[in-house]
Amino acid sequence: MAQKRLTLEDLNSGGTNYATMSPVKKHYKWVGNELVESDGKPEKAKFPKVTSRDHNIYVQFADGEEEVQLTHDGSRELVYGEAVHRNEWGIETGLFMSPDRTKVAFYRMDQSMVTDYPQVSIIGYEAKHEPDKYPMTGTASHKVTIGITDLTDRNNLQPRYLDLGDVTDRYFTNISWAPDGKTLYLIELNRDQNESHLDAYDVETGKKKATLFIERDDKYVEPMHPITFLPWDDSKYIYWSQKDGFWHLYLGSLNSKKGEKTDLIQLTKGEWVVMSIIGFCKKDKSVIISANKENHIQRNLYRLDLSKLPSKGEGAKMTLLDNGKGVHGGVLSDDGTMLLDIWTEPDVPRAYATINTRTGERKEVFSAPNPWEGYDIPIYKHGTLTAADGKTELHYRMVLPKDFDENKKYPTVVYVYGGPHAHNIAASWHWASRPWETYMAGEGYIIFVLDNRGSENRGKDFEQVIYRQMGQEEMKDQMKGVEFLSSLPYVDTSRLGVHGWSYGGYMTISLMTNYKDVFKVGVAGGPVIDWKWYEVMYGERYMDTPQDNPEGYAKCSLLSKAKDLSGKLLIITGYNDKTVVPQHCLNFIYECNLAGTYPDFYAFPAEEHNMKKHQSVVLHERITQYFNDYLK
């Protein structure tokens, strides 16, 4: 039987999410020790439901009741109950319910002082001005305060605010409640982002009770997680920190009378990172976590025993719960004794197992069939090479055509992201290869992907090489990848391309202009061109301000590189990109016109930073066509 040719439409068809290789969602619930399918319908609300809409906050006290509006002066300049600080530091919401659901804490963001970026909507008879508040590096940032409303008295829903003082150039992150609902905890960060404070505030008075911990770093501190209280001891909490060089968990204790700090006890330790806290088993005082302890590119599940506190410098006892391979996620039962292990490996598209967290007993219950059975599928390879520093191991993925012949020479595309808080290589299905890579291999290309220094999950030193010089060390590592490709007889180095999106778009143009004789064709999507036009929180963390680091901004800017563009370059942007605003790529095109280097340009009307639905298909068709036209 002939194998089927994989098309771009196949990659975007229903039934299976080809981006993650996960089946259509179904709903399950625990009944005793068994996992059974449920209808997925939510139970009737037993507590007030608090939502934000049109920049105001609303509460519905019971199902069927009319909503009550808690705030009334919300606007695009004064925003209530929404995520703030442009969703940095893990902020995903602006509403925080107390454990007993009787109170709600919320963000209030005043961004009247923030400059408007002049976005325009072209949909409709007349184009409309729809400006977006966008604080660029070195400019005024918004001001955030935190309010609390008691929902037990419907006749008095007037919020009160924490006494934070002058909130100018201060970031308030990682909000969490004390188990008794009397204290609110948050991690405050200064604008320089080199010092964070874990603070406790009295809910009734709004006054600060204590600063539990202060963390400083010569480069930057990056709090990403709120503290988590132990369910069996309200006086102890888990605090995340990279202070020893890697993301690890620490145990903090409160003075029950004053809420003051005691020394932190390190719970996890080693040259690897904790990735998540999945939950707790109260019965045996353990915490279930995921970490990459087995391998940089894996994520595995562990039981961390807290029944006996570790001696200084030792860490708590850790027990591996899964098979020690692949990339695992977990769903924990309410009592913490049963764990649903959901995982994938390079040759396992998706599998499920149940694990008794107390005994370690593991039972595999399902393994998904190969979703690409019957298709022509390429060869997926993983390997490592040494970074430009001469010592650090880097992981790469290579996708080769199914009918690969090492005696032939193939056009090769380097796919790159390269920036913080992301990685491309994982020990998951096909080494985490993207469906577009599979399609391109079917078109006769080799695809090469390398996680350079600066990407995530490898520790602070690995990540902080970008500090005050974004793109520079990353390019050096990517060129080590090119050096490796050049050593392979089947890579046609005269037909070498590069492609990336967002930070990867920045890397694409950086590589093409700094190593202009290496890359013949590039496609840069949503590219940063000059970090002075990027937003305050992210940009200043890694680059400081343009005023403090003018040399770094000049070195990292691509405007001066426009004259060095020699290959064929396609720049793509969402016309209404609110993340990397179009000012970036338009200024680069302006400089290219002056220099006579003339890149190609493609815009997606009414789209933002990432293309959605059918526009995503159009995007990948356009990228593929460009490489077929100029590289194949």
Side-chain angles (χ1 to χ4, degrees):
M1 179 179 175
Q3 297 288 291
K4 293 181 285 184
R5 175 75 171 85
L6 195 65
T7 69
L8 285 171
E9 289 296 338
D10 288 325
L11 299 178
N12 289 275
S13 63
T16 298
N17 180 345
Y18 285 94
T20 61
M21 290 301 149
S22 60
V24 174
K25 285 186 177 180
K26 292 185 177 181
H27 300 272
Y28 297 87
K29 61 182 179 181
W30 290 101
V31 177
N33 289 339
E34 296 294 324
L35 197 68
V36 300
E37 191 170 347
S38 72
D39 58 15
K41 294 180 180 178
E43 297 181 1
K44 280 193 172 184
K46 299 178 183 179
F47 303 101
K49 179 183 178 182
V50 183
T51 57
S52 60
R53 186 173 65 254
D54 300 325
H55 310 309
N56 279 304
I57 301 175
Y58 299 81
V59 60
Q60 186 180 37
F61 286 96
D63 285 342
E65 284 192 5
E66 188 175 344
E67 285 184 326
V68 176
Q69 190 168 345
L70 294 186
T71 62
H72 298 270
D73 57 341
S75 66
R76 61 181 297 270
E77 295 197 335
L78 190 60
V79 178
Y80 291 91
E82 299 178 19
V84 299
H85 302 326
R86 298 190 66 84
N87 298 89
E88 294 295 327
W89 305 294
I91 298 172
E92 296 179 352
T93 182
L95 298 168
F96 308 87
M97 296 298 297
S98 64
D100 63 2
R101 312 287 293 183
T102 63
K103 301 180 186 70
V104 60
F106 59 87
Y107 280 127
R108 176 185 183 271
M109 177 172 61
D110 179 0
Q111 50 183 2
S112 59
M113 69 293 297
V114 176
T115 301
D116 281 333
Y117 187 85
Q119 298 280 3
V120 175
S121 171
I122 63 166
I123 303 302
Y125 184 66
E126 295 181 342
K128 295 180 180 178
H129 182 216
E130 294 183 352
D132 179 41
K133 292 290 184 181
Y134 196 98
M136 292 182 177
T137 56
T139 69
S141 183
H142 53 239
K143 298 181 181 181
V144 169
T145 50
I146 298 169
I148 299 172
T149 297
D150 191 326
L151 302 175
T152 58
D153 185 356
R154 298 193 192 192
N155 297 317
N156 183 20
L157 296 174
Q158 185 68 25
R160 52 186 177 274
Y161 289 86
L162 300 187
D163 185 5
L164 299 171
D166 183 359
V167 296
T168 304
D169 292 338
R170 297 164 68 193
Y171 303 130
F172 302 102
T173 75
N174 298 289
I175 291 175
S176 57
W177 285 87
D180 63 6
K182 295 181 179 180
T183 307
L184 197 70
Y185 296 88
L186 58 88
I187 300 178
E188 179 188 338
L189 198 63
N190 63 337
R191 180 151 175 175
D192 284 342
Q193 300 187 48
N194 57 10
E195 181 174 304
S196 67
H197 292 207
L198 172 58
D199 292 331
Y201 284 84
D202 186 279
V203 169
E204 290 299 319
T205 67
K207 300 291 185 182
K208 183 189 289 190
K209 297 170 64 174
T211 294
L212 279 65
F213 186 73
I214 297 175
E215 191 163 348
R216 299 182 180 91
D217 190 274
D218 291 340
K219 295 177 180 176
Y220 54 85
V221 179
E222 198 169 10
M224 294 295 296
H225 307 275
I227 63 170
T228 306
F229 282 86
L230 302 185
W232 57 85
D233 187 343
D234 290 353
S235 71
K236 291 184 173 60
Y237 60 90
I238 291 177
Y239 174 80
W240 295 67
S241 176
Q242 289 193 95
K243 67 191 186 79
D244 80 339
F246 296 84
W247 274 118
H248 282 300
L249 304 181
Y250 295 78
L251 188 67
S253 299
L254 303 177
N255 180 309
S256 59
K257 292 183 179 180
K258 297 182 180 180
E260 294 177 350
K261 67 178 181 180
T262 57
D263 290 338
L264 294 173
I265 299 173
Q266 188 163 3
L267 299 177
T268 59
K269 190 177 181 65
E271 294 186 359
W272 46 271
V273 301
V274 176
M275 294 169 159
S276 69
I277 294 176
I278 296 172
F280 297 89
C281 181
K282 190 174 180 179
K283 290 184 179 180
D284 60 1
K285 298 182 179 179
S286 65
V287 55
I288 310 303
I289 66 171
S290 67
N292 67 353
K293 185 174 184 290
E294 309 305 307
N295 190 292
H296 296 142
I297 61 173
Q298 292 185 196
R299 182 173 71 229
N300 298 98
L301 307 176
Y302 301 86
R303 174 184 179 272
L304 192 64
D305 185 2
L306 301 188
S307 62
K308 181 181 178 182
L309 295 183
S311 301
K312 189 173 182 180
E314 289 185 359
K317 179 182 177 182
M318 283 180 64
T319 303
L320 178 68
L321 294 175
D322 60 38
N323 64 0
K325 299 181 289 185
V327 174
H328 295 248
V331 180
L332 199 61
S333 63
D334 289 342
D335 66 359
T337 61
M338 295 298 296
L339 178 67
L340 177 63
D341 175 14
I342 308 167
W343 85 97
T344 173
E345 298 172 33
D347 57 355
V348 177
R350 186 71 65 190
Y352 299 79
T354 56
I355 302 172
N356 186 312
T357 61
R358 305 186 75 191
T359 66
E361 181 181 358
R362 185 171 182 270
K363 179 181 179 182
E364 295 190 13
V365 295
F366 176 75
S367 184
N370 183 349
W372 287 350
E373 187 69 38
Y375 287 99
D376 279 327
I377 300 301
I379 301 165
Y380 303 91
K381 297 178 65 176
H382 162 262
T384 61
L385 54 82
T386 303
D389 64 0
K391 59 183 180 181
T392 304
E393 180 183 70
L394 303 177
H395 292 266
Y396 70 81
R397 172 177 70 245
M398 185 178 273
V399 186
L400 305 168
K402 181 180 184 297
D403 57 356
F404 171 70
D405 182 349
E406 64 180 13
N407 294 313
K408 293 183 178 180
K409 283 189 174 291
Y410 295 87
T412 300
V413 176
V414 175
Y415 176 76
V416 61
Y417 180 76
H421 293 289
H423 67 282
N424 283 314
I425 318 302
S428 58
W429 177 245
H430 292 166
W431 303 104
S433 180
R434 302 162 61 245
W436 178 77
E437 298 168 22
T438 294
Y439 180 80
M440 289 294 282
E443 290 283 291
Y445 295 89
I446 291 173
I447 305 296
F448 180 79
V449 189
L450 174 73
D451 279 338
N452 51 246
R453 288 172 298 148
S455 54
E456 68 177 354
N457 296 336
R458 295 289 303 274
K460 189 164 63 173
D461 289 344
F462 188 93
E463 296 169 9
Q464 288 188 343
V465 297
I466 69 174
Y467 182 61
R468 291 172 67 94
Q469 54 169 4
M470 294 175 87
Q472 308 312 299
E473 296 301 309
E474 302 95 296
M475 280 193 289
K476 294 176 185 177
D477 285 353
Q478 290 296 327
M479 291 308 296
K480 281 294 181 181
V482 170
E483 183 180 307
F484 166 71
L485 290 173
S486 299
S487 72
L488 303 175
Y490 46 82
V491 171
D492 187 348
T493 55
S494 69
R495 291 186 293 165
L496 196 60
V498 58
H499 165 50
W501 198 271
S502 193
Y503 202 104
Y506 170 67
M507 289 291 293
T508 294
I509 300 178
S510 296
L511 287 164
M512 287 200 70
T513 54
N514 282 276
Y515 303 93
K516 61 182 181 179
D517 296 327
V518 174
F519 299 95
K520 182 180 181 181
V521 180
V523 179
V528 174
I529 295 298
D530 194 306
W531 291 101
K532 70 173 176 283
W533 292 321
Y534 204 69
E535 54 96 346
V536 165
M537 297 82 191
Y538 183 103
E540 292 183 4
R541 177 186 315 139
Y542 304 120
M543 289 292 291
D544 288 335
T545 66
Q547 296 86 346
D548 291 337
N549 184 22
E551 298 85 0
Y553 275 81
K555 180 171 64 173
C556 300
S557 174
L558 297 178
L559 294 176
S560 63
K561 299 292 184 180
K563 66 183 186 304
D564 298 318
L565 178 63
S566 61
K568 291 293 296 184
L569 172 64
L570 173 62
I571 298 173
I572 304 176
T573 190
Y575 183 81
N576 296 104
D577 194 332
K578 296 180 180 180
T579 303
V580 183
V581 293
Q583 186 171 354
H584 285 270
C585 60
L586 295 177
N587 269 276
F588 184 73
I589 292 169
Y590 177 81
E591 293 296 330
C592 286
N593 289 343
L594 294 177
T597 49
Y598 310 133
D600 293 316
F601 180 61
Y602 195 93
F604 281 83
E607 292 292 317
E608 297 187 11
H609 190 54
N610 295 295
M611 309 308 116
K612 299 180 179 65
K613 299 181 180 178
H614 179 66
Q615 297 301 307
S616 178
V617 178
V618 175
L619 169 66
H620 287 90
E621 287 177 339
R622 188 71 190 92
I623 296 169
T624 302
Q625 178 187 343
Y626 200 77
F627 283 117
N628 283 344
D629 287 346
Y630 298 109
L631 190 66
K632 197 168 184 178

